């Protein structure tokens, strides 16, 4: 009798430890998922003579995003005073810009580095919705 009681205790202890291990295994990915969902959305924007691609993006007011800017040909600028953005886009690497729009509306981003005869038309539209 004593051996079977001892075996039951061991089995119960193993089951309990296994159940805790499973709970921990499932809890960790959920925690990582929650953190992944808190990460800002990344929007890739490419600059080249004389355009931004995409030419228009939509953001949500109060929602942080990362604008991943790259250039396919030369240094360009990326500037919008209302969105508090003013940065350079280097030709040889990408530039991440964190943005959290605080006002809804339509805003224009311009290239503020002269890049040739079509430079004045190098713009993109950013729409911020509630």
């Amino acid at each position: 009798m004593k051996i079977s009681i001892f075996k039951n205790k061991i089995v119960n202890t193993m089951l309990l430890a296994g159940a805790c291990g499973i709970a921990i295994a499932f809890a960790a990915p959920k925690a990582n998922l929650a953190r992944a969902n808190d990460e800002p959305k990344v929007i890739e924007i490419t600059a080249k003579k004389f355009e931004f691609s995409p030419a228009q993006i939509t953001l949500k007011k109060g929602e942080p995003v990362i604008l991943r800017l790259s250039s396919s040909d030369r240094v360009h600028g990326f500037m919008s005073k209302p969105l508090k953005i003013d940065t350079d886009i280097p030709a040889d690497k990408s530039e991440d810009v964190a943005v959290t729009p605080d006002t809804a509306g339509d805003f224009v981003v311009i290239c503020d580095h002269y890049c040739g005869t079509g430079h004045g038309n190098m713009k993109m539209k950013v729409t911020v919705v509630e």
Side-chain angles (χ1 to χ4, degrees), residues 72-126:
S72 63
D73 55 11
R74 64 180 315 280
V75 175
H76 289 280
F78 195 81
M79 198 264 293
S80 175
K81 287 184 181 180
L83 294 172
K84 301 174 186 99
I85 302 170
D86 188 2
T87 192
D88 295 337
I89 307 171
D92 57 347
K93 63 178 184 170
S94 64
E95 182 77 20
D96 285 358
V97 177
V99 178
T100 304
D102 57 6
T103 306
D106 291 326
F107 306 98
V108 176
V109 175
I110 63 167
C111 174
D112 62 346
H113 283 272
Y114 183 75
C115 53
T117 57
H119 168 75
N121 294 321
M122 189 169 174
K123 300 174 184 172
M124 76 175 286
K125 180 180 176 183
V126 177

Side-chain angles (χ1 to χ4, degrees), residues 27-89:
K30 286 181 184 176
N32 289 337
L33 264 179
R35 275 180 281 189
N37 290 338
D38 291 344
E39 294 294 318
K41 177 179 168 181
V42 175
I43 299 173
E44 295 191 14
I45 299 169
T46 303
K48 68 177 182 178
K49 289 183 180 179
F50 302 102
E51 66 184 6
F52 292 105
S53 180
Q56 179 175 345
I57 60 172
T58 301
L59 307 176
K60 289 186 181 178
K61 179 180 170 184
E63 185 175 295
V65 296
I66 301 292
L67 303 179
R68 183 155 295 146
L69 309 172
S70 62
S71 171
S72 63
D73 55 11
R74 64 180 315 280
V75 175
H76 289 280
F78 195 81
M79 198 264 293
S80 175
K81 287 184 181 180
L83 294 172
K84 301 174 186 99
I85 302 170
D86 188 2
T87 192
D88 295 337
I89 307 171

